[in-house]
């Protein structure tokens, strides 16, 4: 019997959305997932029009996610969607996620997990009890050289980790963009839609997640300087954080959206007592390994000497640059292949299982909580708990 | 009435193929094209198995392209494929291309156009007389910063073009890979499958096409040093070429597959009497503009200051790297949108019309012919004619 | 009447010294300074031997600086040294500096100024009251692109400064080098010779000085995480510091000597509300200016469009790399030319006057003091006072 | 008995000279050479004034080199100059060089060796028969990473050399600068002063010399396209050359002075059957070694893992950039140390003996001759003979 593509329903991602289109490209790229249903806007007319432009069956373009869950559940198992992808602003993460799981769907959810830490705890438990597959789209862990970096740390190439410097500078909010009818800027700087943090929730969480992912360490305490640099803005747009990890490593986390002229310059440097590594998202196919008194090495995506996990997350040989969309697609492909393998009674490749999940989501919300609290505190160190 | 995705049939791209999988990703990425049929191998069983892994309807996975054309033409216009994509080695370009056009299909064809210049002339005429849309996948002209470069030259930012340096160094054939059962190496170094040139046909044509595309100039004469550096190899794996363009500009074209350690380092530098530009495929999102006695400038893909054509060929904001697969997808998307616009009676965006076509294909084959002839000649300059 | 080269006497810089040889090259390079006397080691025989290898008159190679001051002062004004350069470890900065000034010599002193903040205050007053010229060799402010950066900030190109990220990662102390008879490592990690800080005094002060120099801002408070990562080491070898400047700008300062594989990667990034700038010491001839929604610019040393101060601190046209030694030589040349101008009754060029001096030295020692105190404190912010 | 600094007399390098000042810095830097005499201009008053600004004894600033040789030879051996440095335009190379040797002086001569190939042959013989030390200042072979590159090729790390790409693009002559009273442009574009070539003599010779130096190969034939791109210019300002070496390696040499916006971008890439190497003068402290299916390596100047010859030509540890002036100074220092060693009856270090000499000079002039002749020829290949 022939297997079918995995069927996806989408919540959010209509006109003006940035991340919705990204999710669709990521899902489409490898030809293993098919978008079959969706509610793309809280405005039914906009949702319908978006669905048409996506070549969807009009009967499966819905006016609300409640309607979507109800109608899709009436379809045959063969026909109805296999999983749901939620790409709405943060305040519309919790409710549809809970309902998707309750209706029996696997779930892909954009980060951060929820609006509040409390919601995250509830959703975490729900995911764990549901038995459904869950992916939180911390895109950057989908890059092959990040897989390679994590493997090299795990293999002890760097020795005992002493220092972690992670940065996420952007410049797009250097002006008061939210007063100019910019949809992306508006919700991200609105506490009702974004939560208790702007910059730290939007991009700081990516940096935090990346640092823990590569090193395998857990943050144990932090000391934050949180700022709103653009006058009139309602949430933080900048922050510097001192970090301490559970093995004693120290570091810094920088996230800012007012570094004028910066694009999307997530980068990380990790130093152990044997070697160091450096990676920049804007040059994502390169991983530099630094050695003491020996020539540094340039590891390149698509090369035959990379780890299985790194190779499993590339599509092209070295020198054919893959990028952000492919990293994103890796999350979708790994998620889909795991479900397909399960369907077929096969063991999924371990590379497919390596996607960000509920724990990442919960820790990310704890990071948002603590970093903002630390920013308000006169005390140097704040314990990181979940 | 809702419009449908454009339906694609594929010839080639089965097990061991590199470029077939690339074409499929490129076609899938934007969700505007659907693979509905194909003949993936000259071995019917391999073809069937490939089709299954691609989630295709087994009835539309064929054993030969003759069968595919015959059977698809029996389907309703609504159901049958809209265009054919040919991703086979060079010796299987001409015949299926002619037949695709004869059966009324638009055509996407991997480069170089054909096995011989004679075939190219015939196919060129066929394309012109067929009225069908045709795309020759010179991938690298699909990069947004190449669109930007071309626009800046056309706008006179560089002034009168004096120098063109284009290079395409690879290192993967530095060893006698064709003796090791490597499918990619085998056909590319086999005159029966690849034609009269190895390296110059495989990658030299890309470099040649890129130079003419950006500058808008036409090559008028050349002087080539063509080499086979790996003993026992049947075709050239290396060459250096002096160039003269129709405006008097001079330059060099380097293509090699034995530059040990080089990946896929296509790059171009163009200097006019007002400014210069530099672009490297491995850092494709950056275009450097050099000025006389003024600071150089870094143009970046995804930026709001770019030309319409550059912006129309990106999906993400600056700092979210797009790469080779997106450049390839641009060709497919532009091709598909033009056909969709035509169906809908709309004027296609001029950015969609800017894809490599029959003239590029014919000139590319003329380049292969002349560069190999010049390599054998004691005379310095060989006229470039088509 | 012909003018003579400026005559220099040196204290320190004998066998095993790193910085002494650097100072001599810096002084020699432009042919305007002549080494005429010195005490190169506390061991008279080593001093004599060093002097011989430097082609010095044996009569002017001394066994102690007290002897040097006494004997040189007995020479005619025409003959005796014009200024003293002190290149000893930190614990031998204060006493010879005081004496040099007392004996009427202009003074070049390696950083940090002294062993303790208290000494620095006394020396500061002495310099001010002596009327002698003084240069503290914060080398990195001698780079032409740092001059350019400072000018562009002063000219308002960056707008109001919001963020300052300054880093100084090295890796050479990643192992317990001081237990291996390494003279450089030994004194730098010895509190008696280095003072209350290792890393922060050795390189953190450079980073601090650079940030204040370029921005023209003053640090107002800081929050430090100070670490000794190599077991058994007596002083800090690593630290992360949160910064607040007097205009409200925030930032981070990183200095570490255990970033395995890092060389001497001092770098700074400054973002204002109009533009940003980035500079790396290891690529010192390049200054990147980042713009919001406009192409970034690459400013290059030796270019005709640079500020007077930048041009006055280069010797070669763009593309002929100058580096660390030239930056160091700029301090010496500017120092020497100012003194020569004074002799000749001329007004020195304003570029020559721009060298680090007593205030830089005092603030640097205050930085060392506060950063170490903050490192011990549970309170988040420590006021920066002098 | 104490040894003295080596005493230098200079011919040329007065007001408006570029390279004279460079030579003096190079000679001064290490404190082992002293400028004691000179004739800095054919105008005695300009010569005198230049000498004064260089703090020279007015009695040893001469009005002509004939006078200099005569007067200096009247001084005691202890007092008179030890060697002569000639930094005049090409047409004033031959005569003073011959006379310097005849008067018994060692000789440093700026490149290219002479105005014509005939002169070069005579001077070559003179040098050989004189027994004097001779250095032709092909600066770029003075870089430590070039020493490292040469060593790695000699050690077989790259295997059999197959390809050599050497480039020297500049942009400073992109406009008709010689009509604007620019001294540097004027003589370099004047056949009477520069010889039969402009660009190829000025910078092409550097590229040629570098390629032969690193590879240890000898050019056996070439095919040149030589251009004058700026209307009205009297000599070539641009050229592209195909190369064949004596081991069968092929390559290209590009030299141009009209690459708008280019600075001084000499660079070389060499590929053998085992590995490749890449070096750029503008990033001179880095040497990239490329491997087949293994991570590339970054070799850095000042590192302890470098060859003896590379280490002997640096002054600072890794991360403290040295540059053009230090490379130039290496030639002077090695030249001077060899002479000092000889005086002291010691064996010079083999690193000091590795400076460009008479053979480099003669081959360089042969290159100029053949490349210009080939440019005029309709025949593809021109044999390279000396």
């Amino acid at each position: 019997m022939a297997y079918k593509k995995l069927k996806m329903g989408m919540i959010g991602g209509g006109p003006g959305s940035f991340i919705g289109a990204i999710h669709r490209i990521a899902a489409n790229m490898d030809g293993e997932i098919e978008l079959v249903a969706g509610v793309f806007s809280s405005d039914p007319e906009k949702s319908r029009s978006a669905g048409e432009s996506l070549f969807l069956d009009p009967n499966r373009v819905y006016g609300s996610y409640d309607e979507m869950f109800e109608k899709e559940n009436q379809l045959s198992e063969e026909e109805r969607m296999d999983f749901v992808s939620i790409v709405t602003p943060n305040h519309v993460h919790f409710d549809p996620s809970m309902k998707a799981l309750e209706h029996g769907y696997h779930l892909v959810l954009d980060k951060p997990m929820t609006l509040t830490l409390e919601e995250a705890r509830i959703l975490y438990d729900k995911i764990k009890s549901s038995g459904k597959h869950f992916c939180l789209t911390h895109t950057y862990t989908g890059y092959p050289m990040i897989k390679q970096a994590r493997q090299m740390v795990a293999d002890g190439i760097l020795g005992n980790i002493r220092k972690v410097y992670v940065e996420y500078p952007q410049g797009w909010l250097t002006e008061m963009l939210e007063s100019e009818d910019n949809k992306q800027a508006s919700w991200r700087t609105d506490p009702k839609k974004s939560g208790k943090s702007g910059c730290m929730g939007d991009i700081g969480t990516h940096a935090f997640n990346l640092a823990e992912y590569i090193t395998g360490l857990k943050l144990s305490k932090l000391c934050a300087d949180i700022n709103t640099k653009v006058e009139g803005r309602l949430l933080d747009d900048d922050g510097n954080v001192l970090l301490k990890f559970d093995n004693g490593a120290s570091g810094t986390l920088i996230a800012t959206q007012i570094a004028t002229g910066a694009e999307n310059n997530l980068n990380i440097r990790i130093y152990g007592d044997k070697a160091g590594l450096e990676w920049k998202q804007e040059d994502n196919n390169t991983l530099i390994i630094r050695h003491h008194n020996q020539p540094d090495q340039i590891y390149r995506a698509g090369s035959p000497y990379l780890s299985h996990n790194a190779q499993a997350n590339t599509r092209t040989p070295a020198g054919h640059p893959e990028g952000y969309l492919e990293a994103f697609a890796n999350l979708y492909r790994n998620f889909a292949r795991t479900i397909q393998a399960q369907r077929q009674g096969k063991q999924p490749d371990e590379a497919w299982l390596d996607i960000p999940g509920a724990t990442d989501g919960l820790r990310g919300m704890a990071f948002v909580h603590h970093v903002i609290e630390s920013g308000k505190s006169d005390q140097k160190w704040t314990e990181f708990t979940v």
Side-chain angles (χ1 to χ4, degrees), chain A:
Chain A
M1 178 208 128
Y3 292 98
K4 297 276 180 65
K5 291 187 182 185
L6 215 63
K7 290 184 290 300
M8 173 170 84
M10 178 168 273
I11 299 173
S17 165
F18 160 62
I19 209 66
I22 300 297
H23 277 254
R24 285 190 296 264
I25 291 171
N28 281 329
M29 187 178 289
D30 294 297
E32 305 182 16
I33 294 169
E34 189 181 5
L35 177 67
V36 297
V39 46
F40 300 100
S41 171
S42 52
D43 173 338
E45 176 50 31
K46 283 185 183 169
S47 182
R48 196 201 55 74
S49 155
E52 185 178 358
S53 75
L54 295 167
F55 305 102
L56 281 189
D57 178 347
N59 296 324
R60 297 179 75 178
V61 180
Y62 303 100
S64 73
Y65 54 79
D66 286 317
E67 183 195 353
M68 180 168 84
F69 292 128
E70 185 193 332
K71 296 272 181 63
E72 287 286 318
N73 273 33
Q74 292 165 6
L75 298 175
S76 71
E77 200 174 326
E78 178 80 351
E79 199 177 0
R80 74 166 169 251
M81 59 192 189
D82 294 307
F83 75 95
V84 171
S85 177
I86 299 178
V87 301
T88 48
N90 305 350
H91 66 305
V92 193
H93 280 192
F94 179 72
D95 189 56
S97 291
M98 294 294 286
K99 286 175 175 163
L101 295 167
E102 282 160 12
H103 285 79
Y105 294 105
H106 304 295
L107 180 61
V108 174
L109 175 61
D110 204 73
K111 48 54 54 190
M113 201 181 200
T114 50
L115 195 71
T116 67
L117 178 55
E118 293 66 36
E119 286 180 357
R121 290 193 181 112
I122 299 167
L123 180 54
Y124 176 90
D125 289 340
K126 186 71 172 186
I127 293 162
K128 292 298 177 188
S129 64
S130 72
K132 293 295 161 190
H133 292 282
F134 175 74
C135 177
L136 190 82
T137 52
H138 272 306
T139 326
Y140 303 103
T141 60
Y143 276 114
M145 299 320 282
I146 293 302
K147 306 291 188 189
Q148 178 68 17
R150 177 177 162 92
Q151 188 67 51
M152 292 179 82
V153 171
D155 289 347
I157 308 292
L158 275 71
N160 181 34
I161 301 302
R162 289 167 166 173
K163 295 291 303 186
V164 179
Y165 302 114
V166 63
E167 304 183 340
Y168 202 148
Q170 293 182 332
W172 69 292
L173 288 178
T174 201
E175 295 176 355
M176 189 70 179
L177 221 55
E178 55 268 49
S179 64
E180 295 171 26
D181 193 30
N182 178 305
K183 185 168 174 176
Q184 293 308 314
S186 293
W187 80 256
R188 281 182 168 82
T189 58
D190 178 351
K192 294 197 203 74
K193 296 181 175 169
S194 195
K196 77 193 295 177
S197 170
C199 175
M200 284 293 155
D202 191 21
I203 61 174
T205 49
H206 276 308
F208 163 74
N209 181 257
L210 191 68
E212 288 202 343
Y213 176 76
I214 298 177
T215 61
L217 301 175
K218 297 295 169 196
L219 188 63
S220 57
K221 52 187 184 171
L222 55 79
C223 168
D225 169 31
I226 303 296
N227 306 293
T228 301
K229 290 290 186 182
V230 173
E231 211 182 305
R233 183 160 285 161
L234 301 179
L235 288 171
D236 58 291
D237 51 19
D238 173 82
N240 310 311
V241 191
L242 304 178
L243 308 174
K244 291 283 182 190
F245 291 88
D246 54 359
N247 77 332
S250 65
T252 55
L253 182 151
I254 287 168
T256 186
Q257 297 178 310
I258 54 87
T260 308
E263 295 176 351
N264 193 49
N265 188 16
L266 174 65
N267 65 84
I268 190 162
R269 290 166 292 171
I270 300 171
Y271 301 96
D273 55 13
K274 290 189 186 163
L277 69 78
E278 301 182 9
W279 179 85
K280 296 184 179 188
Q281 193 265 157
E282 294 182 3
D283 185 19
N284 67 82
N285 295 298
T286 298
L287 175 69
I288 296 176
I289 305 296
R290 299 212 182 272
H291 297 283
H292 188 51
N293 291 344
Q294 291 298 327
D296 294 336
Q297 293 177 293
I298 309 172
Y299 282 66
R300 291 275 295 163
S303 296
Y305 52 75
L306 298 178
S307 69
H308 168 69
N309 202 353
Q311 295 203 44
N313 283 283
T314 47
R315 292 154 188 80
T316 53
H320 300 75
E322 298 190 29
Y324 176 80
L325 295 170
E326 287 77 17
F328 219 122
N330 288 338
L331 302 190
Y332 269 94
R333 188 170 73 170
N334 290 334
F335 177 80
R337 286 184 174 181
T338 296
I339 296 172
Q340 286 277 20
Q342 193 176 42
R343 281 188 181 179
Q344 302 177 25
K346 295 181 185 160
Q347 184 61 27
D349 187 302
E350 65 174 321
W352 307 342
L353 296 172
D354 180 24
I355 55 173
T359 301
D360 299 88
L362 181 56
R363 290 186 69 80
M365 291 307 299
F367 174 76
V368 170
H369 173 79
H370 290 302
V371 85
I372 295 299
E373 292 308 308
S374 171
K376 296 175 188 160
S377 172
D378 289 335
Q379 180 187 315
K380 191 190 268 181
W381 294 107
T382 296
E383 298 293 317
F384 183 86
T385 57
V386 180

